[in-house]
């Protein structure tokens, strides 16, 4: 491949990164909020959230992307293709993240809450300073696993015209009639992105262990 092809691939990789990155941050945060609300056991609201989680997890990502981009304009909601991609990825990953966080809530030691209440610690202070940091470390492998699945599933956004890494790869292959080289290069870039994510996970876990000593 020539230099122009590599430049296009890097631009596509950057589009994949920033769109997936925004969806990851929003998905982790929204998932935490959903899990927190579910732990409050409000019947009607809990039923709505369970339905949302079930639908979001069961719906193929490409179907969700197409629905947001093609169906919403019929009710007056016109989303830019990049925005539609971010919303679709966020809706998908937040549902999975919600279950990861809920599992962390369920298995968090009750004794720590009782100890915090015994010394008069406020609920928000307990959650922010004691509960959340431990939940984050315990849930990190599962959260990072979901992040990697999101990045690997992000090629679904190419169907609505988002110029991500996969769409760029297809364009190069269709112009050069040599599909193997751009596909291998794109695969390498995906491996690098996932590898960096896993490396950051490892660094975060090591830092957490040092702080816990």
């Amino acid at each position: 491949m020539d230099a122009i092809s590599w430049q296009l691939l890097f631009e596509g990789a950057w589009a994949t990164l920033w769109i997936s990155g925004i969806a990851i941050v929003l998905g982790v945060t929204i998932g935490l909020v959903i899990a927190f609300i579910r732990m409050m056991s409000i019947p009607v609201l809990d039923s709505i959230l369970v339905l949302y989680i079930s639908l979001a997890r069961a719906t193929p990502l490409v179907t969700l992307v197409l629905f947001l981009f093609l169906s919403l304009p019929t009710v007056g909601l016109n989303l830019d293709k990049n925005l539609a991609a971010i919303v679709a990825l966020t809706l998908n990953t937040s549902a999975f993240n919600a279950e990861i966080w809920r599992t962390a809530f369920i298995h968090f030691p009750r004794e720590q809450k009782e100890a915090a209440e015994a010394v008069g610690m406020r609920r928000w202070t307990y959650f922010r300073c004691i509960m959340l940091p431990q939940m984050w470390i315990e849930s990190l492998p599962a959260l990072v696993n979901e992040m990697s699945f999101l990045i690997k599933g992000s090629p679904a956004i190419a169907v609505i015209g988002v110029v991500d890494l996969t769409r760029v790869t297809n364009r190069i292959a269709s112009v050069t009639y040599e599909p193997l080289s751009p596909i291998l290069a794109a695969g390498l870039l995906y491996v690098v992105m996932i590898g960096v994510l896993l490396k950051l996970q490892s660094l975060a876990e090591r830092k957490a262990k040092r702080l816990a000593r």
Side-chain angles (χ1 to χ4, degrees):
M1 292 194 304
D2 57 18
I4 295 178
S5 295
W6 277 107
Q7 181 181 348
L8 292 173
L9 285 171
F10 283 127
E11 290 175 356
W14 170 243
T16 294
L17 272 178
W18 75 261
I19 291 174
S20 299
I22 293 175
I24 285 171
V25 173
L26 292 176
V28 170
T29 305
I30 295 172
L32 177 60
V33 173
I34 291 173
F36 184 78
I37 294 173
R38 288 202 62 197
M39 294 307 296
M40 296 170 65
S41 299
I42 303 173
V44 176
L45 191 54
D46 188 61
S47 297
I48 294 172
L49 291 176
V50 168
L51 178 62
Y52 158 68
I53 291 171
S54 299
L55 289 175
R57 295 174 70 186
T59 303
L61 186 53
V62 66
T63 303
L64 185 56
V65 171
L66 288 171
F67 172 77
L68 290 174
F69 188 68
L70 299 178
S71 300
L72 291 185
T74 62
V75 293
L77 295 175
N78 295 294
L79 298 182
D80 170 78
K81 60 185 179 182
N82 290 332
L83 179 57
I86 292 171
V87 173
L89 294 179
T90 300
L91 289 175
N92 176 269
T93 193
S94 61
F96 288 95
N97 285 324
E99 290 300 285
I100 294 172
W101 284 118
R102 190 172 72 92
T103 301
F105 270 115
I106 292 173
H107 293 95
F108 194 81
R110 183 177 294 273
E111 295 80 6
Q112 294 195 32
K113 181 180 180 181
E114 294 172 350
E117 291 175 346
V119 298
M121 183 177 293
R122 293 182 178 180
R123 184 174 297 179
W124 170 246
T125 303
Y126 162 73
F127 176 75
R128 179 172 55 87
C129 298
I130 296 179
M131 194 173 187
L132 185 58
Q134 294 184 60
M135 286 173 54
W136 169 254
I137 296 302
E138 290 297 323
S139 302
L140 190 58
L143 291 171
V144 171
N145 190 49
E146 168 55 24
M147 293 174 194
S148 66
F149 276 123
L150 183 70
I151 293 174
K152 287 183 285 188
S154 64
I157 65 179
V159 299
I160 59 173
V162 177
V163 188
D164 71 328
L165 180 54
T166 297
R167 189 171 183 84
V168 169
T169 302
N170 289 335
R171 284 183 177 179
I172 295 173
S174 64
V175 170
T176 62
Y177 297 102
E178 294 179 0
L180 184 59
S181 295
I183 289 173
L184 290 176
L188 176 62
L189 290 173
Y190 277 115
V191 168
V192 169
M193 287 188 279
I194 301 298
V196 170
L197 190 61
L198 295 176
K199 183 63 176 179
L200 291 175
Q201 173 195 341
S202 178
L203 291 174
E205 290 177 340
R206 269 185 271 172
K207 183 176 181 180
K209 289 179 181 178
R210 286 198 300 268
L211 292 175
R213 291 175 183 173

